[in-house]
Amino acid sequence: MTTHQTAMIMMGLAVVLALAHVLGRLARRCGQPAVLGEILAGILLGPTLFHGALSDAVFPTDVRPMLSTLGNLGVALFMFLVGLELDHRLLRGNKRAAVGVSVGSIVCSFGLGAVLAVWLWNAHPVGDRLGFVLFLGAAMSITAFPVLARILTDRGIQHTRVGALAMASAAAGDVVAWLLLAAVLTFTGSQSSWQVLLVLPYAVAMVAVVRPLLGRYLAAREPGGTGAGGHGRGVAGGGQGVAGGGQGVAGGGQGVAGGQRGTDRPGAGERGPGAGPLGVLTVLLLVSGALSEWFGLHFIFGAFLAGAIVPRQGTERLRAAVADRFEAVTWMLLPAYFTVAGLKVDLSTVDADGLGELGLILLVAVGGKFGGAYLGARATGRPGRSATTLGILMNTRGLTELIILGVGLQLGLLDTDLYSLMVVMALVTTAMTAPLLRWAYPRQMVDADLRELAAEWEAAVPRPQAARAGGGKPSGAKR
């Protein structure tokens, strides 16, 4: 790397971080997740404005590969944090409804997306027609679990029945959608068959061998006890999930521990996790990502799996401390990924045909997710307003969709024009969520549900225990 390249990459990162921070703050003031402004910052730095003159000046061609590498590292850390904060306990008491909502939204989205892909193929032909159809169906099926968790926390509804069910549905749906996307990439990949066959044994080894060993190692290094002060809060009984992928990235500075603040968060005020656990988890993340890339998938799957296998029992404070460290690095690296993505988005060339395609993409994206989630919720006995709220929440896409679209563009399953339209779809569907949620689930209904749940909580817990567990009431119950 030359002196000029070093100077340009440092200056470019400074511009990216400053603009992402400003637009992220502006998005938060408008009632939107910060990730919306940060993605928009990446697009504004691309060729959409000034025919690429700005992007060429700030990010010369010779520094873009280095910027892309930094962005990919940020994505790997982000996916590790998503896996780290996935909590199967969210499904307790919600299994039937969560399965109905997640399956309904995925099936409808995938089906409608595949039908749309058949029509779009004529205008956007790529090398593999079947791969294009399957990929677009899978891309339509994604819900951004981290951004959804942030929206729920911002609205104070993460502890309501609807909030807990939305979190459980999004978590279950994301796992299914990632597996579906992995299957599509395996089917369309160029790797030899013997490498692909190693995916299943590797996943089994990670769960059956690495996870128990990792659990014993981390439990022995858990700082300050079991960390009962922060987890298990709320009606869902299991933490809050990823609240936005790090400080600033849909998190508004609160990070990845699900909206818990100050000393409520496990490990707050405790000593750090130490170099040992940080080193082990970092190596695990990088090796898992590298192997999944070599298997013919994408490194995001390996990074996600590395986070998902970290045991929750007995490692609460350590996991929270590790998340704090990782999210700080993610905050610096993810905007680089937004910029790399934005450099490939050129909306200045969109004509009337492109606007028509965008309208159809939005119709399929919103209709498939909302309709599938609504029907799935109603089929499991949820009332109409609750089903409507779930349908709105499941339409959240955000950063997760952007990552998947980047994979499709990299593998030649999308062309640049369609990629640009799909990025706009991800932004629009995410921006729709907050205002529609305020209409479908107004503040007075949230407060009423929280009061009802608080009453049920107090009736279910004996008085001596209730006094000791006073911090565990659903948030906002006294409003």
Side-chain angles (χ1 to χ4, degrees):
M1 183 184 295
T2 66
T3 302
H4 173 74
Q5 289 174 327
T6 301
M8 291 305 299
I9 196 70
M10 295 179 73
M11 184 61 69
L13 276 177
V15 172
V16 167
L17 290 174
L19 186 59
H21 178 72
V22 170
L23 293 186
R25 290 282 297 257
L26 182 61
R28 296 274 298 172
R29 287 181 177 273
C30 296
Q32 296 289 345
V35 70
L36 208 63
E38 291 165 354
I39 295 174
L40 184 60
I43 294 176
L44 293 178
L45 289 172
T48 296
L49 295 181
F50 310 114
H51 302 289
L54 177 62
S55 58
D56 291 340
V58 179
F59 306 107
T61 305
D62 58 340
V63 306
R64 292 184 185 185
M66 292 171 271
L67 187 68
S68 179
T69 300
L70 292 175
N72 285 336
L73 287 174
V75 169
L77 284 169
F78 173 78
M79 292 307 301
F80 175 83
L81 291 171
V82 172
L84 186 71
E85 292 298 332
L86 271 182
D87 191 352
H88 67 277
R89 293 176 297 180
L90 287 170
L91 291 173
R92 292 177 183 172
N94 290 308
K95 287 184 179 180
R96 183 169 174 265
V99 169
V101 172
S102 59
V103 169
S105 64
I106 288 175
V107 169
C108 287
S109 298
F110 186 91
L112 290 176
V115 171
L116 176 64
V118 172
W119 181 79
L120 288 174
W121 166 262
N122 296 321
H124 305 276
V126 290
D128 187 342
R129 181 172 185 173
L130 181 57
F132 173 76
V133 171
L134 294 176
F135 176 82
L136 202 62
M140 290 290 189
S141 304
I142 291 294
T143 295
F145 176 75
V147 182
L148 173 64
R150 179 71 264 158
I151 291 174
L152 291 175
T153 304
D154 286 346
R155 290 279 295 156
I157 62 176
Q158 71 273 28
H159 295 308
T160 65
R161 286 192 178 92
V162 172
L165 180 55
M167 292 276 283
S169 301
D174 256 17
V175 172
V176 174
W178 283 115
L179 292 175
L180 179 63
L181 183 63
V184 171
L185 296 184
T186 301
F187 176 79
T188 60
S190 58
Q191 297 293 329
S192 60
S193 58
W194 72 269
Q195 287 172 291
V196 173
L197 292 175
L198 293 175
V199 172
L200 184 58
Y202 176 68
V204 172
M206 288 284 282
V207 174
V209 180
V210 177
R211 188 174 191 271
L213 294 175
L214 187 63
R216 286 197 288 271
Y217 174 80
L218 296 179
R221 288 154 181 81
E222 171 74 355
T226 61
H231 284 257
R233 294 184 63 180
V235 178
Q240 300 307 311
V242 182
Q247 295 177 347
V249 182
Q254 291 186 33
V256 188
Q260 298 183 39
R261 300 170 182 260
T263 57
D264 286 339
R265 181 168 177 168
E270 301 286 345
R271 62 182 176 87
L278 274 175
V280 168
L281 291 176
T282 302
V283 170
L284 176 66
L285 150 69
L286 295 175
V287 170
S288 183
L291 285 175
S292 66
E293 187 82 24
W294 183 70
F295 291 150
L297 298 178
H298 195 273
F299 69 83
I300 57 176
F301 298 103
F304 175 81
L305 179 61
I309 67 166
V310 177
R312 301 188 68 86
Q313 188 67 31
T315 62
E316 290 86 352
R317 294 179 183 272
L318 183 60
R319 286 172 54 258
V322 167
D324 279 338
R325 301 293 180 87
F326 277 12
E327 72 189 18
V329 181
T330 304
W331 177 82
M332 291 188 291
L333 295 180
L334 264 185
Y337 182 82
F338 298 145
T339 302
V340 172
L343 290 174
K344 302 167 186 173
V345 176
D346 188 0
L347 301 178
S348 63
T349 61
V350 176
D351 54 14
D353 291 338
L355 291 176
E357 291 176 352
L358 177 60
L360 282 176
I361 290 171
L362 287 170
L363 182 63
V364 168
V366 175
K369 270 293 180 183
F370 178 84
Y374 180 88
L375 293 175
R378 293 292 285 165
T380 55
R382 305 298 300 181
R385 184 177 287 272
S386 175
T388 300
T389 303
L390 289 167
I392 292 170
L393 288 168
M394 295 298 285
N395 252 305
T396 307
R397 287 180 171 87
L399 172 59
T400 310
E401 182 74 21
L402 200 67
I403 293 172
I404 290 174
L405 295 177
V407 173
L409 184 65
Q410 175 187 338
L411 298 179
L413 296 173
L414 293 175
D415 63 19
T416 305
D417 291 339
L418 185 56
Y419 171 81
S420 300
L421 297 179
M422 292 291 288
V423 169
V424 174
M425 177 273 292
L427 288 172
V428 171
T429 53
T430 304
M432 290 169 52
T433 304
L436 288 177
L437 185 60
R438 285 191 287 269
W439 165 77
Y441 199 29
R443 186 72 249 173
Q444 60 267 27
M445 292 189 64
V446 174
D447 291 341
D449 287 349
L450 288 172
R451 285 193 295 269
E452 179 184 345
L453 290 171
E456 292 180 7
W457 175 274
E458 292 177 354
V461 179
R463 281 296 174 187
Q465 295 184 27
R468 289 194 299 269
K473 294 180 181 179
S475 177
K478 294 183 179 180
R479 294 182 183 179

